[in-house]
Amino acid sequence: MKNLPAPFYRDLINKLQELYILCEPVWDADGRLNDIRILDVNDACLERLKRPREKIIASTYSELLPPNNNTYSLLSELDAVARDGSEKRFELRFENPDVYFDIFACAPQPGQIVIL
């Protein structure tokens, strides 16, 4: 499967039932990961966030969801992925609403993170 067209990948990503988020790290002046900017999402993510694509793309995580303890946990977990391209699997639980996420994150290329 070489050189498949972009619509093929878009269709494949949108058929995922899991949330797909392509993002880039946002670093503070001290070189710490302090947010992520959303570059792309799939339809499952749009449904979960109940927002249109144009309101999500180019937004940061903190603009979309109010910062809380899970924000810092998420950023802490994504830091190694962003810095060295490692893959990571971790869990996050939100209390209100009561939602649990089993997350896999990887870096498809330097400066990008995919969250599933």
Side-chain angles (χ1 to χ4, degrees):
M1 295 190 340
K2 69 176 196 177
N3 299 331
L4 292 172
F8 170 84
Y9 292 107
R10 169 59 43 206
D11 190 46
L12 179 66
I13 288 168
N14 280 331
K15 286 185 179 182
L16 291 172
Q17 293 179 3
E18 294 84 9
L19 279 64
Y20 163 88
I21 303 169
L22 174 65
C23 56
E24 64 183 1
V26 177
W27 307 100
D28 68 13
D30 296 323
R32 291 183 297 240
L33 181 65
N34 72 343
D35 213 335
I36 53 175
R37 183 168 317 286
I38 311 300
L39 302 176
D40 190 25
V41 295
N42 67 351
D43 291 346
C45 189
L46 297 175
E47 290 172 25
R48 171 66 78 167
L49 293 175
K50 298 180 181 358
R51 295 184 181 151
R53 187 177 307 276
E54 57 273 5
K55 296 286 186 183
I56 296 173
I57 303 302
S59 297
T60 62
Y61 182 85
S62 62
E63 291 170 340
L64 294 172
L65 299 170
N68 59 40
N69 289 340
N70 287 319
T71 303
Y72 307 111
S73 296
L74 175 66
L75 294 176
S76 174
E77 297 287 353
L78 293 178
D79 189 77
V81 176
R83 287 184 192 283
D84 61 26
S86 62
E87 297 177 354
K88 195 148 196 184
R89 180 170 220 113
F90 55 97
E91 302 172 352
L92 279 182
R93 182 176 202 95
F94 293 81
E95 293 181 14
N96 190 15
D98 187 21
V99 180
Y100 163 84
F101 291 101
D102 179 19
I103 298 172
F104 173 77
C106 65
Q109 64 184 27
Q112 291 185 346
I113 302 169
V114 168
I115 302 169
L116 295 171

